Amino acid sequence: MAEQPEQNMDKATMEKITSLAKRRGFVYQSSEIYGGQNGAWDYGPMGIELKNRIAAAWWKEMTQLHDDIVGLDAAILMHPRTWEASGHVENFTDPLVDCKKCKARFRADQIPPENIAEKKCPECGGELTDTRKFNLMFKTHIGPAEDTASIIYLRPETAQGIYVNYKNIIQSNRMKIPFGIAQIGKAFRNEIVTKNFIFRTCEFEQMEMQYFVKPGTDVEWFDEWRKRRWAYYEKLGVKMDHLRWHQHGPDELAHYAKDAYDIEYLFPMGWRELEGVHNRTDYDLGRHTQYSGKDMQYIDQDNNNERYIPYIIETSAGLTRNLLMVLCDAYDEELVDADDWRTVLRFHPNLAPVTVAVLPLMKKDGLAELAQDIRKELKEDYATDYDQSGAIGRRYRRQDEAGTPFCVTVDYQSKEDGTVTLRFRDSMEQIRVPKAELALRLKQEIKAYKRIK
Ligand code: ATP
């Protein structure tokens, strides 16, 4: 394992990432013209492409590459009893304190304990209120009457949609334990403190996989899923010295968990959770049995119809938090020569919003038309961009900053011999390639891609 740095010495800062994200159309503040909406963000043309590719990479890993995992897309609105059964109504709370003087609001577990003990605001020194429990679930009403009978919640995690469907999936898809169900979708939490850009938001997306196992095999499967999830980030090309494990201590464990590890990433603000791997035991299915009155036992037909409530190993990653990680991980500033710097996003080509940009050296003499023809051909297989304005060096820099791994430049020689320049984002190396071979060459380059910095 690579030696891990104590703190972040990268060139990426949250200010630079936030400003680049806006400038290049990755992420905008929600409702910006009204002063912005706290805890909500909009994904622009580049951001939605990046988010879709991160989701696709995870989906492929979890479903296509695992014969024993199937997908699901459950509704955000669920029967309110779900959240009583899951324990969220009772337990999904954060400790909250307010400053009576400056009105700042804090999570009591995120400020120094002496401030809580002395009831002293860490920002202005004013008096703090008593700590009170605050439930993070968003509540709304279904139907026209706004009474307690019509209360419904926006799901705070996608997992419960999987649990309530686990028997449906066994029946419709003839699944046998051990097997998994994967889901990507929105989740909502009324977070007390939202800061650090899209790291912690009130509306976000999760990529969760619930793996159903026989009790007694859970510890083994828990270790196996920890290994698999670590290997996944390695395959994605993430800087491995920026990842580490954090095991939950007894006071951190969620009400349902027997054991839990977070994969933490070294973000610009320090080490923070990226994904959790949890042994949720038979808690959730046991509670749904109790609350719904339905039998949630698995019947093992290969083993004398043995019945049991499966244990669940969960891998739970934030999609939007993964996007922030990918942006921070890719960010680099490089001295090209003398005092010439470039900003470059070193995305894996499978994640880059644009895979290849086609650039005619000049607009005139038929070069633009030739470049458009080449783009049209590449479009079938790749996300492309086209740019004909400004000096070629400046256009390369624009693509570097957007994280485009390949540029194809069409020049006068292209008209003569049908070759084009293929330029690589990371090394800035340029080679000549016959245009007829471009699509295949790109495929090979993507497959063989290794991050060099
Ligand atoms: P935290 O301790 O940071 O509040 P958590 O331990 O409650 O997070 P989980 O419930 O395990 O988080 O959620 C699984 C994953 O969902 C997290 O690892 C994270 O990537 C993502 N996630 C959770 N809450 C948020 C949020 N408010 N905004 C963005 N992503 C989130």
Side-chain angles (χ1 to χ4, degrees):
M1 198 195 293
E3 198 173 308
Q4 288 166 332
E6 280 302 307
Q7 50 175 321
N8 199 327
M9 307 299 279
D10 293 350
K11 292 162 196 138
T13 62
M14 212 42 109
E15 290 72 32
K16 287 185 199 170
I17 297 285
T18 313
S19 122
L20 185 148
K22 179 169 182 199
R23 194 169 66 244
R24 298 310 307 255
F26 285 93
V27 184
Y28 315 116
Q29 206 181 4
S30 162
S31 327
E32 194 181 351
I33 60 166
Y34 292 104
Q37 175 55 51
N38 221 356
W41 297 85
D42 297 339
Y43 292 80
M46 297 293 272
I48 177 62
E49 295 293 342
L50 182 60
K51 185 148 72 72
N52 282 347
R53 293 200 207 322
I54 295 170
W58 184 90
W59 194 256
K60 176 177 174 188
E61 172 73 22
M62 290 311 217
T63 63
Q64 193 173 324
L65 299 182
H66 283 98
D67 303 339
D68 56 353
I69 302 181
V70 291
L72 176 74
D73 184 20
I76 289 171
L77 300 177
M78 299 182 69
H79 195 288
R81 288 281 281 169
T82 310
W83 306 108
E84 287 170 34
S86 68
H88 282 79
V89 170
E90 194 185 338
N91 294 316
F92 198 53
T93 55
D94 273 345
L96 169 74
V97 287
D98 287 308
C99 173
K100 290 182 183 170
K101 191 167 156 209
C102 72
K103 309 288 175 216
R105 178 159 281 181
F106 306 96
R107 251 172 74 172
D109 55 343
Q110 288 181 346
I111 61 175
E114 51 276 18
N115 288 75
I116 297 293
E118 294 165 17
K119 289 195 156 189
K120 192 167 156 202
C121 173
E123 273 173 20
C124 78
E127 193 193 342
L128 291 178
T129 59
D130 288 335
T131 304
R132 60 190 189 279
K133 275 187 173 181
F134 171 74
N135 195 297
L136 292 162
M137 281 199 294
F138 277 101
K139 250 189 224 164
T140 184
H141 295 271
I142 194 151
E146 293 202 359
D147 53 21
T148 44
S150 67
I151 287 178
I152 195 159
Y153 301 96
L154 300 188
R155 68 179 177 201
E157 61 174 28
T158 56
Q160 299 300 328
I162 294 182
Y163 305 147
V164 299
N165 275 299
Y166 118 96
K167 281 231 136 172
N168 282 338
I169 288 177
I170 288 181
Q171 275 146 24
S172 62
N173 295 62
R174 292 187 293 137
M175 304 307 287
K176 289 190 170 170
I177 276 182
F179 76 94
I181 304 173
Q183 177 168 223
I184 299 177
K186 291 236 171 175
F188 301 83
R189 295 182 188 179
N190 199 355
E191 299 281 0
I192 298 167
V193 184
T194 55
K195 54 180 184 187
N196 293 317
F197 191 31
I198 55 171
F199 177 80
R200 184 182 303 286
T201 51
C202 293
E203 175 176 348
F204 57 101
E205 279 174 77
Q206 289 189 312
M207 306 183 287
E208 295 198 308
M209 193 284 301
Q210 313 294 326
Y211 201 73
F212 299 80
V213 305
K214 187 171 181 178
T217 64
D218 53 305
V219 173
E220 205 180 305
W221 276 114
F222 182 68
D223 291 346
E224 177 60 28
W225 275 107
R226 282 184 53 207
K227 277 193 215 122
R228 291 183 188 177
R229 293 308 299 153
W230 188 263
Y232 169 77
Y233 287 110
E234 200 158 23
K235 195 160 100 183
L236 217 59
V238 176
K239 291 177 190 155
M240 293 311 281
D241 65 346
H242 280 48
L243 287 179
R244 73 177 186 192
W245 285 106
H246 164 74
Q247 184 177 18
H248 285 205
D251 51 338
E252 283 171 279
L253 275 182
H255 58 274
Y256 50 73
K258 169 171 162 185
D259 200 0
Y261 277 81
D262 294 337
I263 297 181
E264 293 186 336
Y265 181 79
L266 185 57
F267 286 97
M269 65 281 188
W271 290 98
R272 295 285 191 287
E273 174 177 341
L274 177 66
E275 163 163 355
V277 182
H278 310 129
N279 182 345
R280 291 181 78 132
T281 69
D282 56 1
Y283 175 84
D284 297 276
L285 294 180
R287 295 273 292 195
H288 285 304
T289 305
Q290 198 183 325
Y291 278 72
S292 69
K294 300 283 180 317
D295 184 4
M296 302 296 266
Q297 290 184 101
Y298 175 73
I299 304 168
D300 188 350
Q301 289 168 342
D302 300 332
N303 208 359
N304 296 325
N305 288 336
E306 188 190 353
R307 288 165 178 263
Y308 56 82
I309 295 202
Y311 268 45
I312 292 169
I313 308 301
E314 165 185 73
T315 71
S316 175
L319 169 53
T320 40
R321 200 175 279 184
N322 256 259
L323 188 144
L324 178 62
M325 178 277 283
V326 167
L327 271 179
C328 297
D329 204 64
Y331 187 92
D332 196 13
E333 291 164 2
E334 187 179 35
L335 188 60
V336 181
D337 48 40
D339 55 356
D340 180 17
W341 285 83
R342 70 169 181 151
T343 300
V344 49
L345 290 179
R346 299 184 190 279
F347 292 137
H348 190 290
N350 284 335
L351 299 185
V354 174
T355 318
V356 51
V358 184
L359 321 169
L361 191 64
M362 302 284 192
K363 279 183 248 178
K364 55 185 187 182
D365 302 327
L367 295 186
E369 290 76 8
L370 184 55
Q372 288 285 17
D373 286 347
I374 292 174
R375 182 189 190 191
K376 205 169 156 207
E377 268 175 45
L378 291 175
K379 248 184 206 180
E380 286 293 332
D381 299 307
Y382 302 103
T384 60
D385 190 12
Y386 176 85
D387 184 4
Q388 60 175 26
S389 54
I392 192 74
R394 287 246 294 286
R395 281 185 267 164
Y396 284 147
R397 294 297 156 79
R398 280 206 287 268
Q399 294 298 333
D400 290 344
E401 200 190 46
T404 307
F406 310 105
C407 286
V408 166
T409 308
V410 177
D411 58 12
Y412 288 102
Q413 193 185 329
S414 312
K415 281 176 69 179
E416 314 265 297
D417 65 3
T419 64
V420 293
T421 299
L422 177 61
R423 184 225 185 224
F424 298 88
R425 175 199 66 204
D426 291 354
S427 62
M428 292 184 287
E429 191 197 339
Q430 303 187 8
I431 57 171
R432 289 238 39 120
V433 179
K435 70 178 168 52
E437 289 171 22
L438 258 181
L440 182 64
R441 179 65 189 255
L442 287 174
K443 192 173 172 197
Q444 291 162 345
E445 292 292 342
I446 293 169
K447 192 138 205 185
Y449 180 80
K450 285 256 159 2
R451 183 168 170 161
I452 50 171
K453 274 195 169 183

